[in-house]
Amino acid sequence: MPRVPAPDVAWSGSGDLNTAIAWVDAAQRIVVLTGAGVSAESGVPTFRDAQTGLWAQVRPEDMASEPGFRADPAGVWAWYEHRRALLQGVQPNAGHRALADFARRHPGRLTLVTQNVDGLHQMAGSEGVLCLHGELRGNRWLDDPRGCCDMAHAEAGAPPRCATCGNLVRPAVVWFGESLPIDILGQAEEAVSACDLMLVVGTAGAVYPAAGLAHMARRIGARVLIVNPAPSELDSTAHAVLRGPSAEVLPLLLGRDRPAGDTPPAAAPR
Ligand code: BV8
C-alpha cells in the first residue's frame, strides 16, 4: 500500500519512492549535499543548465577566479552585483523548506552541506548550514587588510577600494583555484564519515572537493540517493536516483514522520 502518492518521478535503482522513504526512516544520521538545482524552482539560475546556466554566459575561469577578478575587477564585480540583484525578492521553495522542517522535527539527525551561495537554505530556517563556497551577499578584502583598510569608496560599477592603499573589496565566495574554508570542509567530512544516508540534491557533481563528499559517503558504506531531474556526474556513485525536481520530491521524501509507535526498520547496512 503506497504510503504517499508516488509523483511522476522515475526511479532508477532498486525500489521506488517508498523505498527511498524507508531509507530516510531507517537512517540515524543523514547528510544532504545541495547544489544550484535546489534553488532552480525559486527562479535562481543554475551554473550549467545549458539554457539558463550562468556559465553559459561567462567562463568560470574569467568570472569566478582571483586572476579573473584582478584582470577585470569592474567586470567581475558587475557580474556578482547582477547575481545579487537576481536574488532580490527570491524566496526559498518547498525543497528548502522540507529540509529545514525535517531538521527541526529531528534535531541532530540531518547535516546540510551546500555549494550554494544564495542563502536560501538559511532563509528557509535551516540552521548550521555548512556553506562550502561562501555567501554571495558577503564581501571581504582582496588582499590582507592593512591598518588603513577601514573604509572603501567605489566609483559607480566598480568594486569598493581602500582610499589609501587601493586594496579592493571582493565577493566573499570561494573562487576556482581557492581552497574551501578548512573548518567548514572538515565539519562536512566529519558528518559524512558518520552518516548512514547521503542525499545529493540538485548538483551536476562537477566541482571538487564538494562532489568528492558523495564518493566519500559511498566509500564509508552509507547509502547514496540522488534527487535530480537530469543525469549528473555522481549518478554512478549513487545506490538510487529519484529523477525529479527537488521542490516536488523533497517534501515527499522528508515530509512525513514514521507513524507513532512505528519502529524504524534496521539501520542501513554499512
Ligand atoms: C579547490 C562559488 C584546492 C563562486 C563555486 C579535483 C578534480 C577535478 C578538479 C578539481 C579537483 N580539485 C579541485 C579542482 C579544481 C576545481 C574544480 O572542481 N573544477 C571543476 C570545474 C573541474 N575546484 C576548485 O578550484 C575548488 N578549490 O579545490 O582548492 C585547489 C587550489 C588550487 C588549485 C586546485 C585546487 C573551488 C571550487 C569552488 C568554486 N566556486 N562557486 C560563485 O558561485 O560565483 S562553484 C559553483 O559550481 C557553485 O558553487 C555551484 O554550486 C557549483 C557546483 O555547481 P552545481 O551546484 O552542481 O550547479 P550546476 O548548474 O552545475 O548543476 C545544477 C544541477 O541541478 C544540474 O545537475 C541540474 O540537472 C540540477 N537541477 C536543475 N533543476 C533542478 C535540479 N535539481 C533538482 N531540482 C531541480 N528543480
Side-chain angles (χ1 to χ4, degrees):
M1 174 65 182
R3 289 170 48 188
V4 287
D8 56 349
V9 290
W11 167 280
S12 60
S14 56
D16 58 12
L17 179 66
N18 285 333
T19 306
I21 290 171
W23 289 0
V24 170
D25 283 354
Q28 305 306 315
R29 284 174 302 279
I30 303 169
V31 170
V32 182
L33 172 68
T34 64
V38 81
S39 298
E41 286 155 286
S42 293
V44 181
T46 66
F47 289 81
R48 289 169 183 83
D49 289 351
Q51 307 77 4
T52 62
L54 290 165
W55 298 144
Q57 300 148 26
V58 292
R59 279 171 15 104
E61 299 73 16
D62 299 340
M63 284 299 168
S65 72
E66 186 182 317
F69 180 69
R70 288 186 187 275
D72 178 12
V76 174
W77 183 258
W79 186 60
Y80 278 88
E81 288 290 273
H82 165 65
R83 287 174 60 195
R84 286 165 173 162
L86 290 178
L87 281 183
Q88 294 300 321
V90 168
Q91 293 298 315
N93 60 54
H96 296 108
R97 291 195 298 272
L99 288 163
D101 294 347
F102 184 91
R104 193 171 28 254
R105 299 196 316 271
H106 301 274
R109 233 178 112 205
L110 185 147
T111 301
L112 180 53
V113 182
T114 190
Q115 300 171 87
N116 298 345
V117 294
D118 57 30
L120 290 177
H121 284 304
Q122 298 89 321
M123 214 170 150
S126 288
E127 296 179 350
V129 182
L130 298 177
C131 298
L132 296 176
H133 296 159
E135 307 223 17
L136 186 58
R137 292 185 177 90
N139 285 321
R140 65 180 177 85
W141 291 106
L142 176 61
D143 295 312
D144 291 341
R146 305 166 188 92
C148 58
C149 296
D150 59 356
M151 53 177 272
H153 73 280
E155 295 93 40
R161 65 172 58 239
C162 168
T164 308
C165 71
N167 196 2
L168 287 170
V169 171
R170 55 160 283 179
V173 296
V174 178
W175 276 332
F176 287 99
E178 293 184 329
S179 298
L180 277 58
I182 195 78
D183 54 334
I184 304 275
L185 183 57
Q187 290 174 59
E189 289 170 339
E190 193 176 332
V192 172
S193 67
C195 79
D196 42 16
L197 174 65
M198 173 180 263
L199 305 183
V200 179
V201 184
T203 181
V207 173
Y208 285 80
L213 295 171
H215 298 293
M216 181 181 175
R218 184 69 194 246
R219 253 195 328 273
I220 58 102
R223 279 193 178 120
V224 179
L225 175 63
I226 284 179
V227 177
N228 194 324
S232 82
E233 296 188 25
L234 293 174
D235 286 12
S236 57
T237 304
H239 291 93
V241 175
L242 280 174
R243 274 278 173 261
S246 48
E248 175 183 331
V249 174
L250 289 180
L252 293 168
L253 197 55
L254 301 171
R256 297 177 33 59
D257 288 330
R258 292 180 207 119
D262 180 6
T263 48
R270 296 213 35 120

